[in-house]
Amino acid sequence: MSRAKALVQEPLYHAPLPAVLYSAEAERAVLGSLLLHPDLVLNQAFETLSSEDFFVPAHRVLFDLIRAMDAHHQAVDVLTVHQSLVDSKLAAEVGSPAILAELTASFASHLNIGTYLQLVKDKSLLRHLHRACSSIVQHIIDEPQSTSAVLDHAEREIFRVTNLSLTRSTVPVSVELRRALDLIDSFHQRKGKLFGIPTGFYELDGLTTGWQKGDMIVLAARPGVGKTALALTLARQAIRQRYDAEKDAWVQPGHPVGFFSLEMTNAQIMLRLLASVASESLHKIRRGELDDSALEKLRRISADAQEWPLYLDDSSGLTIHQLRAKARRMKDQYKIDLLIVDYLQLLRSDSPQARENRQVEIAEISRGLKGLAKELDIPVIVLAQLNRRVEEGKAEPALHHLRESGAIEQDADVVLLLHRPDSEEESPPTEIPYSLHVAKQRNGPTDKIAIRFNALYTRFEDPVRHNG
């Protein structure tokens, strides 16, 4: 059976729908416009609607048929459409030529086509929302014991509707080619300039061209090596400035950043940030040993920090479903461009399979975070721990040292391994050498870069920019 015939014979909804969820009149107006004024409305209609946006089965078939005829450069009018229905053996099912006569006889004006198209689209979205709500109710019935999974399913379904991702999920290569060429042009125009969100490290920017949308970046190290300090350095750089293409300049404030801290409190995070920005000793801050000048400097910086586009969440014991729900709301409310999660092994999954196997649990969490990056279309930086074999062998960390699951390595687009090399020479607290190994990069090269840790101010610094 052809797809068109299936659409005629099999309704999309098996139960009667309230009349407020469709407008047969608006659908007829759109099809009447296509039949009588195809040269004026075809492109607009095909750009706005798909056949699934029509509620009446016969209308779906007609819309698909007219689109196919146009794609084959065939003339579109009442006569040619009827003949195409006859040739496809669909005339009887659709009710042609009577339905075509009805569509043209009741037609109002093609000048209102924008209104008709929007009405059909809006009703389609309402039906999608109706279907999503039904799916959510069924999920509640099927999995009453898994509240987090039900909430995640509900958030995901509603998010799909509100972000208009219900149609045109499949696009022809010609469309993507145009987008790819536009992207290549933008790369060329910004030759020598950063394309993604700045990392704050010259060599790392050169390797990655900045953090890219949809990427999951894993920053891994052993406990106590400095993962959180590096994550805060990355966050600080992102919120500091952003590139404005229209002005062809870096502007302030920078990119909005969401930061989930499952280990430290928001107060601890802010103390570290203020010490880092003010170049004041965190130890002295905690001991209350700052002089009046340093206190005044911290107050000034705190006043400026009111405008930082940084959004903190220190909820502990989160499941991956809960974190995804919170991240969606953060994206919707604050329009974040970057998300940082500290750290992966502190997240939980409440699926039955995960309760029995830690590797399965980590794999579910890793997939959930990668899916979140794609769903929100932002880079997600995830901190993770390396296993103890790194310490036992005194070797530099490698991908296989990622703790508890190879799924992290598989899901990640970029893997950064933070390492403090052993040294017999004692370094001053402002010059502790570190290496950052870009051990995996799906769309770029791998390499090791030198960075350094300023223990006094709990921040990482770029030797290239610092010395420049």
Side-chain angles (χ1 to χ4, degrees):
M1 182 186 295
S2 70
R3 179 178 180 273
K5 181 172 281 191
L7 280 174
V8 174
Q9 296 178 356
E10 299 176 14
L12 291 177
Y13 295 85
H14 300 288
L17 283 183
V20 294
L21 295 182
Y22 61 93
S23 173
E25 294 79 8
E27 293 180 10
R28 285 195 291 268
V30 169
L31 293 171
S33 298
L34 290 172
L35 290 169
L36 295 175
H37 302 282
D39 54 329
L40 299 177
V41 301
L42 274 175
N43 290 337
Q44 188 178 359
F46 295 155
E47 182 180 347
T48 306
L49 302 178
S50 68
S51 59
E52 285 76 14
D53 290 319
F54 291 83
F55 174 74
V56 178
H59 293 170
R60 295 199 297 273
V61 173
L62 285 171
F63 187 82
D64 255 348
L65 187 73
I66 293 171
R67 184 166 53 186
M69 291 174 66
D70 179 67
H72 289 89
H73 306 289
Q74 300 173 5
V76 174
D77 58 30
V78 175
L79 178 61
T80 57
V81 170
H82 172 66
Q83 187 59 52
S84 185
L85 286 168
V86 171
D87 294 343
S88 304
K89 297 182 173 55
L90 291 171
E93 287 88 349
V94 171
S96 184
I99 189 172
L100 300 180
E102 179 187 352
L103 291 173
T104 53
S106 62
F107 175 68
S109 170
H110 72 280
L111 298 176
N112 297 324
I113 185 63
T115 302
Y116 304 147
L117 290 171
Q118 191 59 53
L119 185 54
V120 172
K121 189 68 178 180
D122 287 347
K123 295 298 183 182
S124 172
L125 289 174
L126 286 176
R127 293 196 300 277
H128 279 292
L129 185 58
H130 182 274
R131 187 183 297 178
C133 292
S134 300
S135 173
I136 292 166
V137 171
Q138 189 60 49
H139 215 70
I140 293 171
I141 295 171
D142 292 342
E143 298 188 41
Q145 77 285 356
S146 183
T147 305
S148 295
V150 170
L151 287 172
D152 182 66
H153 175 77
E155 288 260 0
R156 190 168 61 249
E157 290 294 316
I158 300 301
F159 194 80
R160 285 199 188 112
V161 177
T162 56
N163 282 275
L164 306 177
S165 58
L166 300 163
T167 58
R168 294 189 291 177
S169 58
T170 302
V171 295
V173 69
S174 58
V175 174
E176 292 302 336
L177 278 172
R178 287 195 297 271
R179 292 174 180 168
L181 288 173
D182 288 343
L183 196 58
I184 291 170
D185 285 340
S186 66
F187 288 149
H188 182 72
Q189 290 169 11
R190 292 178 61 179
K191 186 177 181 179
K193 300 176 183 176
L194 198 62
F195 195 77
I197 296 175
T199 71
F201 297 91
Y202 181 81
E203 291 186 75
L204 187 57
D205 282 340
L207 284 172
T208 64
T209 67
W211 308 130
Q212 306 298 319
K213 292 180 179 180
D215 277 2
M216 172 182 167
I217 302 108
V218 173
L219 169 59
R222 285 297 300 148
V225 170
K227 295 187 298 295
T228 301
L230 181 53
L232 287 173
T233 302
L234 298 174
R236 178 188 166 197
Q237 179 61 31
I239 65 176
R240 190 171 69 88
Q241 60 180 1
R242 62 181 175 81
Y243 180 77
D244 188 315
E246 293 183 2
K247 297 179 179 178
D248 190 24
W250 291 93
V251 299
Q252 295 179 338
H255 298 272
V257 174
F259 197 107
F260 283 92
S261 175
L262 284 77
E263 189 172 38
M264 299 174 64
T265 66
N266 288 342
Q268 292 171 321
I269 293 291
M270 286 310 303
L271 279 179
R272 283 193 174 207
L273 267 177
L274 289 172
S276 171
V277 175
S279 296
E280 293 291 342
S281 166
L282 180 61
H283 184 63
K284 285 187 176 181
I285 292 175
R286 290 183 180 279
R287 290 175 60 89
E289 296 176 352
L290 295 182
D291 57 28
D292 291 343
S293 175
L295 282 172
E296 181 58 31
K297 181 168 62 170
L298 280 171
R299 291 191 183 98
R300 288 198 308 271
I301 291 173
S302 295
D304 293 338
Q306 300 287 336
E307 304 301 320
W308 288 352
L310 179 64
Y311 306 96
L312 306 175
D313 190 314
D314 60 0
S315 303
S316 59
L318 287 178
T319 67
I320 181 60
H321 299 312
Q322 291 170 332
L323 183 135
R324 284 168 62 106
K326 283 173 171 283
R328 291 186 192 109
R329 285 193 286 272
M330 199 179 278
K331 172 71 172 178
D332 184 60
Q333 185 173 358
Y334 300 114
K335 314 302 179 190
I336 59 171
D337 291 333
L338 173 67
L339 182 68
I340 300 175
V341 180
D342 182 12
Y343 61 92
L344 185 147
Q345 279 89 358
L346 289 179
L347 286 167
R348 298 182 294 107
S349 174
D350 53 7
S351 73
Q353 298 85 355
R355 295 191 195 106
E356 300 172 3
N357 188 308
R358 178 60 175 167
Q359 287 196 347
V360 170
E361 182 175 40
I362 292 295
E364 289 183 3
I365 293 167
S366 177
R367 283 195 302 270
L369 290 166
K370 173 56 183 174
L372 184 65
K374 292 183 65 178
E375 180 183 331
L376 301 186
D377 195 28
I378 61 173
V380 174
I381 299 176
V382 187
L383 278 57
Q385 285 194 1
L386 296 174
N387 61 42
R388 293 188 180 278
R389 286 197 296 272
V390 180
E391 296 173 350
E392 293 168 359
K394 299 294 182 183
E396 290 190 357
L399 284 173
H400 63 270
H401 291 134
L402 282 168
R403 183 174 171 183
E404 293 175 311
S405 177
I408 303 173
E409 175 187 347
Q410 177 181 321
D411 294 328
D413 297 282
V414 178
V415 177
L416 307 174
L417 304 176
L418 183 63
H419 177 58
R420 179 178 178 178
D422 290 331
S423 175
E424 295 180 0
E425 298 181 7
E426 279 200 24
S427 303
T430 55
E431 297 179 5
I432 301 177
Y434 271 73
S435 70
L436 188 63
H437 182 193
V438 183
K440 175 187 177 181
Q441 187 175 193
R442 205 182 298 276
N443 298 307
T446 61
D447 203 353
K448 293 178 185 177
I449 66 173
I451 61 175
R452 64 189 180 195
F453 181 57
N454 188 321
L456 194 61
Y457 308 140
T458 63
R459 71 187 181 206
F460 279 86
E461 297 170 346
D462 184 0
V464 177
R465 286 185 171 129
H466 190 78
N467 293 333

